[in-house]
């Protein structure tokens, strides 16, 4: 850890846990012997309000009197799309089909983490879009707030339009 004493360095790790209500969480890494503090403001500067436990993450860290803390999120590893994405009932899409769907700008209407779902509104369209918690997890997110801007890939399901892929707005703008 001598390189941390002199300044900042980029470290690869995994999110141990992150609690958006408490405003912080921790990252673990093979390079740093102690947990790395990840503050909500550092995550927000990257364009996300949450991150799922176990997600791969690259952070610029700095050693402080209180330990090692992240001062910048450099990148968040998104899980690869599964080869088959199952929706409600008969909807089954492969990753290639999902990637071919247009990306649509939307805003989260509401999301209930305990229920495991919520809805979004695509700009300029009246219908609600169903958003399941698994779509959030696949995006590396643990939760999402009402009013948050996102980009969705949407398919028609048995009961209406449903998100099959979600990306945070800032991430989409960066071209990730």
């Amino acid at each position: 850890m001598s390189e941390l004493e002199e300044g900042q360095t980029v470290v690869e790790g995994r999110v141990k846990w992150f609690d958006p209500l408490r405003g912080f969480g921790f990252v673990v890494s093979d390079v740093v012997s102690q947990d790395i503090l990840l503050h909500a403001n550092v995550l927000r500067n990257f364009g996300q309000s949450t991150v799922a436990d176990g997600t791969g993450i690259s952070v610029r860290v700095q050693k402080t009197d209180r330990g090692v803390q992240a001062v910048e999120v450099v990148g968040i590893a998104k899980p690869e799309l599964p080869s088959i994405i199952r929706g409600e009932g008969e909807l089954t899409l492969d990753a290639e089909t999902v990637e071919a769907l247009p990306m649509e700008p939307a805003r989260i209407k509401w999301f209930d983490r305990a229920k495991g779902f919520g809805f979004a509104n695509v700009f300029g369209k009246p219908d609600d879009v169903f958003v399941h918690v698994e779509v959030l997890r696949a995006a590396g997110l643990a939760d999402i707030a009402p009013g948050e801007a996102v980009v969705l890939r949407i398919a028609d399901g048995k009961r209406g339009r449903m998100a099959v892929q979600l990306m945070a707005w800032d991430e989409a703008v960066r071209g990730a």
Side-chain angles (χ1 to χ4, degrees):
M1 275 195 356
S2 59
E3 69 274 6
L4 294 181
E5 294 170 9
E6 298 171 11
Q8 300 175 0
T9 188
V10 175
V11 173
E12 304 273 334
R14 294 219 162 271
V15 176
K16 183 175 184 179
W17 61 267
F18 186 83
D19 186 341
L21 296 177
R22 293 171 70 187
F24 69 95
F26 289 94
V27 173
V28 292
S29 172
D30 293 336
V31 178
V32 180
S33 60
Q34 55 189 281
D35 292 355
I36 301 163
L37 174 67
L38 176 61
H39 195 272
N41 288 336
V42 173
L43 192 56
R44 274 192 221 96
N45 287 341
F46 184 72
Q48 287 188 202
S49 59
T50 65
V51 63
D53 298 352
T55 300
I57 190 168
S58 297
V59 290
R60 188 173 311 281
V61 297
Q62 181 174 334
K63 187 172 172 99
T64 69
D65 294 340
R66 297 179 135 189
V68 180
Q69 67 180 27
V71 294
E72 178 186 7
V73 174
V74 177
I76 295 178
K78 300 296 181 213
E80 289 185 34
L81 282 175
S83 58
I84 300 278
I85 296 173
R86 299 203 185 277
E88 45 184 68
E90 81 293 343
L91 183 62
T92 302
L93 303 172
D94 60 37
E96 223 174 85
T97 303
V98 170
E99 289 292 330
L101 294 170
M103 298 175 79
E104 300 187 50
R107 194 164 297 280
I108 298 299
K109 184 174 181 179
W110 65 268
F111 190 85
D112 187 326
R113 186 175 172 184
K115 290 182 180 178
F117 69 91
F119 290 91
N121 296 119
V122 173
F123 298 134
K125 296 185 180 178
D127 298 335
D128 287 346
V129 176
F130 179 79
V131 180
H132 193 270
V133 70
E134 290 303 321
V135 173
L136 283 188
R137 287 187 188 130
L141 300 171
D143 201 357
I144 198 155
E148 204 163 325
V150 295
V151 176
L152 302 174
R153 293 187 198 266
I154 301 167
D156 291 320
K158 193 164 139 181
R159 293 185 245 159
R161 293 169 42 101
M162 61 182 287
V164 293
Q165 187 177 36
L166 179 144
M167 190 180 298
W169 182 262
D170 289 355
E171 178 186 4
V173 169
R174 281 193 306 270

